[in-house]
Amino acid sequence: MEVENNGYLPLFEAKTAKGRTLYRVLAASVFLATCLIWAYRVSHAPSQGEDGRLVWLGLLAAELWFGFYWFLTQAHRWNLVFRQTFKDRLSLRYGNELPGVDVFVCTADPAIEPPMMVVNTVLSVMAYDYPPEKLSVYLSDDAGSCLTFYALVEASQFAKYWIPFCKKFNVEPRAPAAYLDSISVSKDPKKPKELTIIKDLYEDMKNRVENVAKLGRLPEEVHLRHKGFSQWDSYSSTRDHDTILQILIDEKDPDAKDTEGCVLPTLVYLAREKRPHYLHNFKAGAMNALIRVSSAISNGLVILNVDCDMYSNNSLAVRDALCFFMDEKKGHEIAYVQFPQNFDNTTMNDLYGSSMRVLSQVEFHGLDGYGGPLYIGTGCFHRRDILCGRKFFLKECGRKFSRESDNGFRVAKDRERGETADVLEEKSKVFASCAYENNTEWGKEMGLKYGCPVEDVITGLSIQCRGWKSVYFNPERKAFLGVAPTTLAQVLVQHKRWSEGDFQILLSKYSPAWFANGKISLGLQLGYCCYCFWASNCLAVLYYSVVPSLYLLRGIPLFPELSSPWFLPFAYIVISKYTYSLAEFLWSGGTVLGWWNEQRIWLYKRTSSYLLAFIDTITKSLGLNSDTAFVITAKVSKQEVYNRYVKEIMEFGDSSPMFTSLATVALVNLVCLVGSMKNAIMNEGIRRIYETMPIQFLLCAILVLINWPLYQGLFFRNDSGKMPSSIAIKSIVLAVSACTYFTFLT
Ligand SMILES: O=c1ccn([C@@H]2O[C@H](COP(=O)(O)OP(=O)(O)O[C@H]3O[C@H](CO)[C@@H](O)[C@H](O)[C@H]3O)[C@@H](O)[C@H]2O)c(=O)[nH]1
Ligand SMILES: [Mn+2]
């Protein structure tokens, strides 16, 4: 235990991982082998004018790229840091003297983000183990949907029962649906009466909300029950309406008590003003409106931001985060505390790699060793003034966690005495109006940044560039659980948005490659670059997964023979890199099959999402293409589709243009493998390919193997999740013509 000389005990500690020396030796050997591969490529290149020189240079370029990218990934692995908090010390030292915490939940579409899911998230954060008078929950609804509002009204009533129930029985998790589902499995005999009551109340609420959702509008009697619905009288569409703001639970209201007579956390519904001719800047715009409106209502010093599907899975997480901010020695330099993004709907072998295991178990710990992780938009605690743009000054060292701030956005300190919620609502609405941001620094120097599909990453980076640190906290018990995409198309679209956004950051004025130079540590710069270069991986991977196979078909070797000493560095890299990656995956809690699936999705992202992201970004920066919208990830799917997801059967159902490129690459390899085997059998025999072109043969065979589910989707399946025939035809034509052209015409 770390005890300072004056007897001061820190609120958190950081440990660096053991066994890193071994890793570094391995990395050095991989680097050496990479250099040998480059040497081979350079020394064996066909000379000017000779056949195949261009292809050879292409391979050299790809291998240089792979080596460079591998080097970047070292920043994620070189120096891992793991953190631990001491919540008991926090309680001992501060008791109830804790800062206000404002929780922001964002939702944008009641059809793909069902209101019941949203209110489960809201209820889970309302039930945090935290003084309720210091906790406020804001729901931002970018759809401005009265269905979501209705669900929230219902939830505000249910909270009166749910919160005392959670506290009395120390319930976890505190999202009612997740809790009630878990309880039906392991029956708890200790609290049968209360449990039945709560269950019935929840079911009733759910039925009412779902009936209204089915109806698609509010029944008259519901409309009359709450004054808030009248705000929809002037509403014309999702993209054209006034600000709708309702303080559903007002902490100052003497009647706002739970069934045990305790204060309830403040609960606010906000649908910011939308007008067709105003850019609304998606989630970043919603967050900035929330920052301003909340500053007039509760003005918590700490802001927690979650997506509407990310419910709290650990009621103590707020206290964990505060251990970092309130640590007297190191807390003053920490801007945000990021928890990992975990999911409660992933399957055992994670067909789509959506749990991003290695990213959360390894890479982010690596970033933490160099100054802190990226802000990833959900499960992140911020200090309000820093999110608003405050800069870090050295003179702040040792400053306690306090209320003053230099240039933070701060409206009301304390509510005027006797001010009713209605008055406050009216006063605060202006902060969510479209015109409010005109001629201000919002979206630039204040709040979340606009104009980037990954508003979170660019905002976090700019905070770190202003001198702040961030912290990655990944406790045993997951703090938040969300919904991972459940179809291949969804995964690819999500990764297209991410890789496109990250690539835009690289080319923007905030680029980690140059702007961040000298502002954040070199390790962190490289770490950011690793994600920002995601999209540009597509070129090398596409080249490597098509060209060697086509040459295999023609019988032209591009790699050393089995008997050549140059074969060794290739073999060494393949074996050591994949053994390490498997070990890392297993260590992160995955399965062997999961790792295999991960390799497939690695390939698919690179040959579709990243490719499109790359093309889109380049054409956009040349002014050939206008901005793309934020495609919201669906959080529900049809029963049939969901059943296949649970059985880990790949979903190709909803036709996506990205499937064409995946299927074409897969078919090219199939044709090349079959064709080259046929040639070999007819000529010198299989053994010959294996001796002269071992690497090309292996590469092609593995590509075919990994694409097995895709061939099934193309040829052998009959369900609605098979590859749409339009895509099948297109890709067959493309692949066959590529192979024919290549074998006969060049
Ligand atoms: O106009 C919009 C669009 C989206 N959202 C909300 O933003 C969140 C994230 O959207 P989702 O479709 O779930 O995207 P993901 O790819 O899962 O989101 C990840 O990546 C985003 C950046 O691309 C971040 O904003 C998210 O926080 C992060 O979880 C959801 O709660 C949405 O309701 C809005 O509030 N307004
Ligand atoms: Mn999401």
Side-chain angles (χ1 to χ4, degrees):
M1 200 188 288
E2 216 181 302
V3 184
E4 304 293 323
N5 26 16
N6 56 2
Y8 157 76
L9 294 166
L11 294 180
F12 72 89
E13 67 179 11
K15 286 199 181 115
T16 46
K18 294 193 190 76
R20 284 294 100 181
T21 326
L22 202 66
Y23 176 76
R24 291 175 189 179
V25 171
L26 177 76
S29 72
V30 170
F31 179 67
L32 206 74
T34 310
C35 292
L36 287 174
I37 290 183
W38 292 339
Y40 164 79
R41 253 328 140 208
V42 172
S43 61
H44 288 67
S47 50
Q48 202 96 47
E50 225 178 300
D51 216 18
R53 185 172 159 87
L54 217 58
V55 178
W56 200 269
L57 290 181
L59 282 173
L60 175 64
E63 281 152 7
L64 283 170
W65 172 263
F66 287 138
F68 165 72
Y69 195 77
W70 171 85
F71 172 74
L72 292 182
T73 62
Q74 297 318 300
H76 292 161
R77 291 173 175 77
W78 207 250
N79 183 26
L80 305 191
V81 162
F82 295 87
R83 297 185 187 266
Q84 199 195 336
T85 56
F86 303 105
K87 294 188 281 288
D88 46 338
R89 294 181 192 166
L90 180 81
S91 309
L92 268 178
R93 219 169 293 164
Y94 291 95
N96 260 3
E97 286 291 295
L98 296 167
V101 175
D102 292 352
V103 186
F104 297 170
V105 181
C106 294
T107 184
D109 187 333
I112 44 188
E113 301 175 331
M116 272 322 282
M117 183 192 82
V118 178
V119 300
N120 262 282
T121 302
V122 168
L123 286 163
S124 76
V125 293
M126 286 177 78
Y128 266 129
D129 180 351
Y130 202 70
E133 66 280 5
K134 300 211 161 124
L135 188 65
S136 308
V137 178
Y138 294 81
L139 176 66
S140 152
D141 179 12
D142 263 350
S145 154
C146 58
L147 304 178
T148 305
F149 178 70
Y150 170 62
L152 198 67
V153 173
E154 287 282 349
S156 68
Q157 296 303 317
F158 178 69
K160 296 182 176 167
Y161 302 86
W162 178 244
I163 294 175
F165 174 79
C166 288
K167 297 204 166 149
K168 184 164 175 201
F169 297 106
N170 212 358
V171 159
E172 289 295 352
R174 295 189 176 183
Y179 171 72
L180 293 172
D181 277 354
S182 72
I183 220 68
S184 55
V185 189
S186 59
K187 253 202 149 76
D188 191 338
K190 276 190 304 218
K191 43 182 186 252
K193 205 173 109 242
E194 281 96 340
L195 185 62
T196 327
I197 297 176
I198 257 315
K199 222 173 168 162
D200 291 347
L201 282 170
Y202 180 77
E203 288 303 321
D204 288 349
M205 165 171 76
K206 187 173 153 193
N207 288 336
R208 283 194 299 273
V209 170
E210 288 182 345
N211 283 338
V212 169
K214 235 178 271 161
L215 214 63
R217 61 177 175 81
L218 291 169
E220 195 60 28
E221 49 98 19
V222 174
H223 199 288
L224 295 175
R225 215 159 50 206
H226 198 283
K227 65 178 178 16
F229 291 115
S230 63
Q231 299 194 51
W232 269 268
D233 294 347
S234 65
Y235 174 96
S236 51
S237 81
T238 323
R239 299 174 49 220
D240 190 8
H241 62 80
D242 289 334
T243 300
I244 303 173
L245 178 63
Q246 272 290 309
I247 303 179
L248 285 171
I249 300 180
D250 177 16
E251 170 248 311
K252 296 266 172 3
D253 176 1
D255 296 332
K257 298 269 161 37
D258 67 22
T259 52
E260 307 278 299
C262 295
V263 181
L264 284 165
T266 297
L267 178 64
V268 179
Y269 173 90
L270 171 70
R272 61 194 164 122
E273 186 193 4
K274 290 271 186 71
R275 298 296 171 208
H277 49 278
Y278 269 96
L279 271 183
H280 64 79
N281 292 302
F282 310 104
K283 189 183 153 193
M287 285 288 291
N288 286 345
L290 280 169
I291 292 177
R292 293 191 299 265
V293 168
S294 66
S295 72
I297 296 174
S298 51
N299 204 15
L301 284 177
V302 171
I303 289 173
L304 162 64
N305 162 218
V306 288
D307 290 348
C308 60
D309 56 327
M310 281 272 162
Y311 67 80
S312 153
N313 188 49
N314 178 1
S315 61
L316 292 171
V318 181
R319 292 172 187 271
D320 279 318
L322 290 181
C323 284
F324 294 103
F325 291 137
M326 297 178 75
D327 181 76
E328 289 81 352
K329 274 205 114 159
K330 299 198 188 114
H332 67 274
E333 57 181 21
I334 297 170
Y336 59 89
V337 179
Q338 177 68 61
F339 285 73
Q341 209 173 348
N342 296 112
F343 305 95
D344 76 346
N345 67 330
T346 44
T347 55
M348 167 123 138
N349 302 309
D350 201 4
L351 187 60
Y352 303 118
S354 32
S355 55
M356 295 177 292
R357 248 171 231 298
V358 173
L359 188 130
S360 61
Q361 298 299 101
V362 180
E363 297 181 4
F364 269 42
H365 288 286
L367 293 171
D368 206 8
Y370 287 125
L374 288 66
Y375 162 40
I376 50 170
T378 182
C380 189
F381 290 84
H382 284 274
R383 284 171 40 169
R384 177 186 288 267
D385 49 354
I386 301 178
L387 192 56
C388 285
R390 183 155 70 93
K391 291 199 176 66
F392 179 76
F393 295 110
L394 269 179
K395 70 171 166 51
E396 294 182 78
C397 291
R399 198 169 95 166
K400 278 190 80 173
F401 192 82
S402 65
R403 273 190 152 263
E404 342 112 42
S405 78
D406 296 331
N407 64 358
F409 176 80
R410 188 133 297 186
V411 182
K413 286 274 180 334
D414 288 297
R415 230 161 104 178
E416 278 166 37
R417 216 178 268 260
E419 193 175 59
T420 63
D422 292 343
V423 175
L424 188 59
E425 277 165 11
E426 281 316 309
K427 264 173 57 181
S428 315
K429 273 185 182 174
V430 54
F431 296 124
S433 66
C434 288
Y436 187 86
E437 293 183 348
N438 291 347
N439 308 316
T440 66
E441 287 299 310
W442 284 100
K444 292 176 229 148
E445 294 303 311
M446 295 177 86
L448 280 89
K449 296 209 181 306
Y450 293 157
C452 178
V454 286
E455 76 299 326
D456 41 3
V457 178
I458 194 164
T459 303
L461 173 63
S462 77
I463 290 175
Q464 289 176 320
C465 284
R466 289 202 304 265
W468 301 101
K469 294 226 155 53
S470 64
V471 153
Y472 183 54
F473 188 53
N474 183 10
E476 194 73 36
R477 183 176 173 91
K478 303 298 176 209
F480 302 95
L481 292 178
V483 178
T486 53
T487 71
L488 181 61
Q490 284 169 16
V491 174
L492 297 180
V493 167
Q494 188 183 50
H495 274 267
K496 187 201 165 230
R497 164 154 43 80
W498 289 350
S499 56
E500 185 174 350
D502 288 348
F503 193 45
Q504 281 178 16
I505 297 179
L506 185 80
L507 306 176
S508 78
K509 68 169 193 180
Y510 291 103
S511 175
W514 47 86
F515 173 77
N517 219 345
K519 300 190 176 75
I520 56 178
S521 71
L522 181 65
L524 195 57
Q525 266 183 286
L526 297 178
Y528 266 100
C529 282
C530 211
Y531 299 119
C532 291
F533 274 118
W534 259 351
S536 32
N537 268 308
C538 63
L539 301 176
V541 173
L542 210 55
Y543 193 83
Y544 235 72
S545 54
V546 173
V547 173
S549 303
L550 287 173
Y551 274 76
L552 176 74
L553 182 61
R554 276 180 87 179
I556 301 175
L558 297 174
F559 293 85
E561 294 190 354
L562 195 57
S563 55
S564 154
W566 291 107
F567 177 77
L568 291 175
F570 283 95
Y572 180 76
I573 293 235
V574 170
I575 293 170
S576 64
K577 224 202 131 248
Y578 284 101
T579 313
Y580 172 77
S581 126
L582 175 61
E584 190 179 66
F585 194 83
L586 297 180
W587 181 85
S588 305
T591 61
V592 176
L593 192 53
W595 175 78
W596 179 244
N597 289 334
E598 173 90 11
Q599 305 310 306
R600 180 182 311 112
I601 212 75
W602 182 97
L603 176 73
Y604 285 7
K605 283 177 201 162
R606 276 157 186 75
T607 50
S608 62
S609 318
Y610 295 178
L611 181 66
L612 278 194
F614 187 78
I615 296 173
D616 275 4
T617 310
I618 300 288
T619 49
K620 229 172 269 169
S621 56
L622 296 176
L624 302 173
N625 192 342
S626 62
D627 267 349
T628 36
F630 187 116
V631 185
I632 302 172
T633 312
K635 277 123 192 141
V636 276
S637 48
K638 278 197 237 123
Q639 191 58 40
E640 197 189 340
V641 174
Y642 190 74
N643 292 345
R644 281 195 287 270
Y645 172 71
V646 173
K647 285 194 227 146
E648 304 191 326
I649 300 173
M650 207 159 239
E651 183 69 34
F652 302 103
D654 29 23
S655 128
S656 152
M658 294 200 247
F659 291 167
T660 315
S661 84
L662 296 186
T664 310
V665 172
L667 287 171
V668 164
N669 277 286
L670 188 63
V671 174
C672 291
L673 188 73
V674 174
S676 63
M677 298 227 304
K678 190 190 114 235
N679 290 347
I681 292 167
M682 283 164 55
N683 304 324
E684 312 104 324
I686 290 278
R687 178 115 183 256
R688 183 88 187 107
I689 327 190
Y690 174 72
E691 278 167 6
T692 54
M693 295 188 279
I695 295 173
Q696 264 157 288
F697 183 71
L698 192 74
L699 188 60
C700 188
I702 288 193
L703 282 167
V704 168
L705 217 59
I706 208 144
N707 273 308
W708 187 245
L710 200 146
Y711 304 132
Q712 275 184 318
L714 274 174
F715 305 122
F716 306 127
R717 273 168 60 180
N718 267 324
D719 54 291
S720 59
K722 71 169 194 203
M723 191 72 88
S725 39
S726 62
I727 291 188
I729 294 167
K730 235 185 287 172
S731 48
I732 292 175
V733 171
L734 278 171
V736 171
S737 33
C739 294
T740 348
Y741 173 79
F742 196 78
T743 25
F744 298 114
L745 300 178
T746 55

